[in-house]
Amino acid sequence: MATQERVYTADDVWRLEVANENPLEKYYLIDGELCIKMAPSELHGETANLIAHYLTDFVLERGLGRVGVEIGYHPPGDRRTLLLPDVSFTSKARAAKRARRGYVPMMPDLAVEVVSPSQSWAQARRKAETYLRHGTALVWLIDPEAKSAEVWERGTAQRKAIDLLSGGDILPGFSLPLKRLFSD
């Protein structure tokens, strides 16, 4: 007789996080698989903060939407996938009323994942594929240790290693050279 692994939902994660005695531990789901997101390192946190800073300046100045940090998103009608991008952007046209608790029942337009030392590139790329499959248009994977990045776009079968983060069709006119993130 085969054993079946448990399939988790966003509701299960909510209960775990509310009951969690270690507030530094967060969870995300990919197709019902529960994954732990560990507390970020200083380099990881600083990189995410800089990206959020540059995006927020650009977005607020133009009234384009919302930039968030560590917000939980799940696709509409799919409670088995829950992602917490390090930084996210949702356009004003798509943004719903802000949730006071729980997770946002839609995916962001842009998701930024900073690859941490406890995460493999395969895990980061799996997240990128999951974002795109569920409606995110643009994903940036940033590796502060290697000072590199990959861009994933909906509708393209390839990923690109880059030196400049571009907002593309999601944030026209936004560009951020990687060297601004990684200057020591």
Side-chain angles (χ1 to χ4, degrees):
M1 174 161 42
T3 12
Q4 185 172 344
E5 292 184 28
R6 178 170 179 196
V7 176
Y8 288 85
T9 68
D11 301 314
D12 296 322
V13 172
W14 182 259
R15 282 190 292 274
L16 282 170
E17 288 187 343
V18 168
N20 192 353
E21 294 177 11
N22 181 2
L24 295 179
E25 193 173 81
K26 294 183 179 189
Y27 305 93
Y28 64 95
L29 298 170
I30 297 180
D31 299 325
E33 178 186 337
L34 184 66
C35 306
I36 297 173
K37 183 171 185 171
M38 301 305 291
S41 67
E42 184 177 27
L43 179 60
H44 180 282
E46 287 175 356
T47 302
N49 184 54
L50 279 172
I51 294 167
H53 165 75
Y54 289 121
L55 280 173
T56 299
D57 279 354
F58 185 86
V59 167
L60 287 180
E61 185 176 302
R62 291 160 183 80
L64 299 175
R66 299 182 194 150
V67 174
V69 176
E70 295 281 333
I71 295 173
Y73 295 91
H74 68 85
D78 180 354
R79 309 275 305 159
R80 295 177 308 117
T81 297
L82 170 68
L83 296 171
L84 294 101
D86 293 302
V87 181
S88 59
F89 165 74
T90 303
S91 67
K92 183 188 279 184
R94 290 187 61 238
K97 183 178 176 184
R98 282 187 179 87
R100 293 280 181 215
R101 59 177 274 174
Y103 307 113
V104 181
M106 63 183 286
M107 298 304 275
D109 294 300
L110 165 66
V112 181
E113 289 286 346
V114 179
V115 181
S116 59
S118 64
Q119 182 181 42
S120 70
W121 268 102
Q123 290 169 317
R125 289 174 178 141
R126 181 179 181 209
K127 281 186 187 177
E129 291 168 347
T130 303
Y131 281 114
L132 296 177
R133 188 173 70 241
H134 290 290
T136 298
L138 182 63
V139 180
W140 297 340
L141 300 179
I142 314 294
D143 184 346
E145 298 242 342
K147 298 182 179 183
S148 66
E150 288 183 357
V151 173
W152 292 59
E153 295 178 86
R154 184 175 54 213
T156 62
Q158 62 181 349
R159 59 183 181 265
K160 301 179 280 190
I162 47 92
D163 294 324
L164 177 79
L165 294 171
S166 168
D169 294 337
I170 301 304
L171 290 166
F174 179 85
S175 64
L176 176 60
L178 287 185
K179 64 183 177 185
R180 289 185 73 187
L181 295 177
F182 306 133
S183 61
D184 291 328

